Amino acid sequence: MGDGLRTTKLYDWHVAQGAKMAAFGGYEMPLWYPAGPREEHLAVLTKVGIFDTSHMAVVLFSGSGGFDLLQLCFTKDLQRCIGKSNAPMSQGKCSYGAFLNDRGEVIDDSIVCQIGPDLYMAVVNAGMGGPISTHLTEHRGEGAVEITDLTDQLGKVDVQGTRAARIMLKLLVKPEQVFEGMPYFTFKGHFDAKSPYADTVRLTDGTPIILSRTGYTGEFGFEIFVASDCTTRLWEMILEAGKEFGTQPCGLAARDSLRTGATLPLSHQDIGSWPFVNNPWPFTLPYNADQTGFTKDFIGRGALESLTSPEYTYAFVGYDVRKVAVDEGNPVVLDRGNQQIGIVLSCVSEMGIGRHGNRIYSISSPDKPGGFVPRGLSCGFIKVKTKLGPGEVVLLRDARREIKAEIVRDIRPDRTVRSPMDLMLGS
Amino acid sequence: MKSIDELNLPEGCRYAEDHEWAKLEGDKVRVGLDDYAQDQLQAIVYVELPQVGDSFKKGEPFGVVESVKAVVDCYMPVGGEIIAVNTALVDSPQLVNESPYDEGWMIDIKPTDLTEMDTLYTRESIKEATLKRMEEEDQ
């Protein structure tokens, strides 16, 4: 370890397991374990994987001014952000959006969760606890809200894959009660033993946790928040309980390919220092029903409403597994007339999918053709200055090669993230 | 990642700076990626090979190996004509990981100048250079 990188409580465990370590967001994190990134990716699609995501940060907002501050700074309209019926934010619900500056650019993306009547937490990316706390403190005004950056005070472990519920079933006190009424993007519990909510979710050893039906893989599973000192114990409990399901520790490489396949952006790569609009994630902005305007005021709104030269972000899928190398130069996007129209933001090998006829299937597609073995497809995101539609084909070019890519609405089909808990408990 | 003592670097092969191995078999030179390279890349998912009959100089790229995480060029350890390529890698690129010196071989070269083999690392000297590289990466 060097270069002043921070580590999580699981650093020694990762190294002892022979993980390849790499710098990410100021932390030294596992890129993959000896099983390798392909096996790790496929384990999440077919069984279950666990990820140390303790490098991520949590910021707490407590007090009666929390709601108004988040309404001002977060892109979701908390009065109407839950579900298809546009219900208001309420206790136990999560909402995904972004914090923007006044130029409409992304400072960071976040899942905001309401823990109690005047208590919210924002889960942000590695190293972003400080900048987000500072940004919101600057906009607090006279609001009665205390902002606490919990960077490095919490551990976070993600259990992702169809077997995740069966593992947690073995590890929770009164698991049936915990799982009752727990759809996608809801959570229960508290990591703080002093909180009145701490009793809602406890591990069998008594440790209080937040169990959240969220993640970054597109597959069924949980994110678990726990006091930092309990992280290694939690990790080992999951591995032990998950042995019978083939639980695979997964590193950042698999996390990156899984999230790209799930058409989820990486902050500061697919969303960043450009206006946060015209992208595959319009649900993160507070649009009205006919998408003609916004239902609330928020920081960045003015900039988004007065763009002079808009750019468009799209998801793409290639025709085989070959990639353009985003990390060694700046691959460009060419239209059919060979005119350069933009840049490639992300490009990964999604090893769980393949083309068959005119369709893309996943290794876990229920209707996949007999004998289908995914050979992998390149996929990712591009940012271009012209509007494109699904099915249009562009060329991506780096110093080495040119690949064809199809613009798509969605990448990996048949994801399990919204699967009902009952179904997953039986899987 | 493998430690220096876990690396399989067979006698009888010579090694290039970028961790291609080269082995003289009769009057041809067989080439692949060594154990260090495949271990660093992990999960090789695609291999692009040259055409039989192509000629390249020592140090020129002859192919591309693609892992889940990276895309890397492979360079000619010695110059010459490509007289065979391992077509099994088209359907089974993972052979480079599973069997780097045997089933995962990449190309056979008819060398233009056999003395170029002498400029490559031996088993001992590549081990030393790799250890140095590992120590630098650890700092």
Side-chain angles (χ1 to χ4, degrees):
Chain A
M1 134 177 71
D3 306 327
L5 290 173
R6 291 195 266 190
T7 57
T8 71
K9 294 283 182 189
L10 284 160
Y11 174 84
D12 290 343
W13 192 94
H14 301 319
V15 172
Q17 296 300 310
K20 181 177 171 66
M21 305 296 287
F24 181 81
Y27 287 77
E28 189 168 9
M29 298 299 290
L31 205 48
W32 55 68
Y33 299 89
R38 180 175 181 276
E39 291 312 307
E40 294 170 15
H41 180 108
L42 295 179
V44 172
L45 298 188
T46 56
K47 299 179 292 186
V48 60
I50 60 168
F51 302 75
D52 174 18
T53 52
S54 308
H55 56 309
M56 295 181 72
V58 168
V59 181
L60 280 184
F61 303 91
S62 88
S64 59
F67 182 90
D68 286 345
L69 180 62
L70 287 166
Q71 273 296 66
L72 175 65
C73 297
F74 192 55
T75 55
K76 280 289 186 66
D77 184 348
L78 300 181
Q79 300 281 17
R80 50 194 304 283
C81 66
I82 302 299
K84 287 203 165 69
S85 61
N86 294 320
M89 186 66 162
S90 58
Q91 194 171 334
K93 301 289 199 305
C94 312
S95 183
Y96 172 71
F99 294 102
L100 308 182
N101 61 25
D102 53 17
R103 295 184 300 278
E105 303 164 350
V106 175
I107 304 171
D108 203 14
D109 64 350
S110 177
I111 291 179
V112 167
C113 312
Q114 183 171 352
I115 301 176
D118 284 317
L119 183 60
Y120 297 86
M121 76 170 186
V123 185
V124 296
N125 285 284
M128 294 308 294
I132 290 297
S133 302
T134 304
H135 174 70
L136 275 92
T137 302
E138 281 166 6
H139 289 93
R140 177 169 52 180
E142 301 298 305
V145 51
E146 191 181 330
I147 301 170
T148 314
D149 174 12
L150 294 179
T151 295
D152 292 339
Q153 292 177 46
L154 292 183
K156 179 168 171 284
V157 175
D158 296 8
V159 189
Q160 303 272 296
T162 53
R163 310 291 196 273
R166 291 176 66 186
I167 295 177
M168 295 316 294
L169 187 68
K170 295 164 74 176
L171 295 179
L172 297 173
V173 175
K174 296 185 185 160
E176 292 82 4
Q177 203 173 310
V178 175
F179 289 156
E180 180 70 36
M182 200 182 190
Y184 183 47
F185 258 61
T186 63
F187 73 97
K188 291 182 181 180
H190 203 304
F191 44 78
D192 182 352
K194 296 192 290 289
S195 162
Y197 309 113
D199 268 336
T200 324
V201 189
R202 283 188 191 272
L203 299 174
T204 47
D205 71 352
T207 309
I209 60 169
I210 281 183
L211 184 72
S212 178
R213 260 205 68 184
T214 46
Y216 196 42
T217 64
E219 301 304 321
F220 177 88
F222 304 97
E223 294 183 292
I224 303 169
F225 301 80
V226 69
S228 182
D229 285 341
C230 303
T231 318
T232 305
R233 169 96 185 111
L234 168 66
W235 181 265
E236 286 173 344
M237 283 172 80
I238 294 169
L239 274 181
E240 179 62 29
K243 221 178 240 173
E244 60 173 306
F245 307 114
T247 305
Q248 173 65 52
C250 301
L252 291 178
R255 187 165 162 82
D256 193 40
S257 52
L258 285 160
R259 69 90 191 169
T260 307
T263 329
L264 297 170
L266 175 59
S267 190
H268 309 122
Q269 181 162 320
D270 302 309
I271 54 179
S273 55
W274 60 89
F276 183 61
V277 70
N278 300 321
N279 61 35
W281 312 286
F283 54 85
T284 53
L285 288 172
Y287 283 113
N288 57 20
D290 52 9
Q291 305 274 306
T292 53
F294 297 131
T295 57
K296 70 157 188 178
D297 199 15
F298 61 98
I299 293 169
R301 173 183 181 164
L304 299 187
E305 287 176 333
S306 56
L307 294 179
T308 47
S309 48
E311 292 183 299
Y312 305 89
T313 300
Y314 296 106
F316 70 86
V317 179
Y319 289 84
D320 60 43
V321 78
R322 278 176 294 177
K323 295 182 283 293
V324 288
V326 173
D327 55 358
E328 41 174 278
N330 300 295
V332 294
V333 183
L334 308 171
D335 65 12
R336 271 177 297 185
N338 241 16
Q339 292 299 306
Q340 192 174 317
I341 55 170
I343 58 167
V344 181
L345 300 169
S346 279
C347 186
V348 305
S349 299
E350 159 53 277
M351 296 310 295
I353 59 174
R355 288 180 182 269
H356 185 92
N358 294 327
R359 265 188 64 184
I360 294 170
Y361 292 90
S362 151
I363 190 169
S364 44
S365 290
D367 61 344
K368 65 184 175 189
F372 172 78
V373 178
R375 309 218 10 205
L377 294 170
S378 60
C379 60
F381 300 101
I382 57 171
K383 181 159 67 81
V384 295
K385 59 190 179 192
T386 49
K387 265 190 174 174
L388 299 170
E392 282 194 63
V393 174
V394 292
L395 290 174
L396 314 182
R397 180 196 285 164
D398 69 3
R400 190 178 284 111
R401 58 164 68 126
E402 218 170 72
I403 64 170
K404 270 196 334 179
E406 178 190 7
I407 304 302
V408 293
R409 283 193 208 284
D410 200 8
I411 300 174
R412 188 174 69 244
D414 304 312
R415 299 195 295 270
T416 56
V417 71
R418 292 170 193 276
S419 298
M421 189 76 81
D422 287 353
L423 187 69
M424 291 293 109
L425 283 167
S427 80
Chain B
M1 295 286 97
K2 291 187 177 182
S3 68
I4 190 77
D5 294 323
E6 289 167 329
L7 286 180
N8 175 21
L9 299 165
E11 286 292 356
C13 286
R14 301 298 289 259
Y15 300 87
E17 184 79 37
D18 293 289
H19 290 275
E20 293 85 8
W21 56 263
K23 190 177 181 191
L24 190 62
E25 295 180 349
D27 52 5
K28 72 177 186 197
V29 175
R30 179 157 280 196
V31 174
L33 284 189
D34 76 10
D35 195 26
Y36 176 81
Q38 75 76 20
D39 187 51
Q40 287 290 313
L41 282 166
Q42 284 285 330
I44 289 166
V45 294
Y46 204 93
V47 180
E48 278 183 2
L49 294 167
Q51 299 280 324
V52 170
D54 287 351
S55 286
F56 303 98
K57 294 195 183 93
K58 174 179 162 69
E60 286 186 339
F62 68 84
V64 180
V65 166
E66 178 139 5
S67 73
V68 167
K69 200 62 192 159
V71 189
V72 297
D73 294 310
C74 304
Y75 300 97
M76 296 285 277
V78 299
E81 182 189 337
I82 308 296
I83 53 170
V85 299
N86 185 2
T87 50
L89 300 182
V90 175
D91 282 329
S92 306
Q94 73 280 7
L95 289 174
V96 177
N97 292 120
E98 291 165 5
S99 176
Y101 301 100
D102 193 14
E103 287 177 78
W105 69 277
M106 295 175 72
I107 54 170
D108 283 339
I109 303 172
K110 184 176 148 195
T112 23
D113 177 4
L114 252 188
T115 64
E116 285 179 346
M117 283 292 279
D118 302 330
T119 65
L120 299 172
Y121 288 97
T122 62
R123 177 182 192 273
E124 286 68 34
S125 59
I126 192 70
K127 201 168 171 179
E128 205 173 299
T130 307
L131 184 61
K132 212 172 145 195
R133 190 165 164 174
M134 285 174 164
E135 284 168 355
E136 281 166 11
E137 279 170 8
D138 274 348
Q139 275 165 14

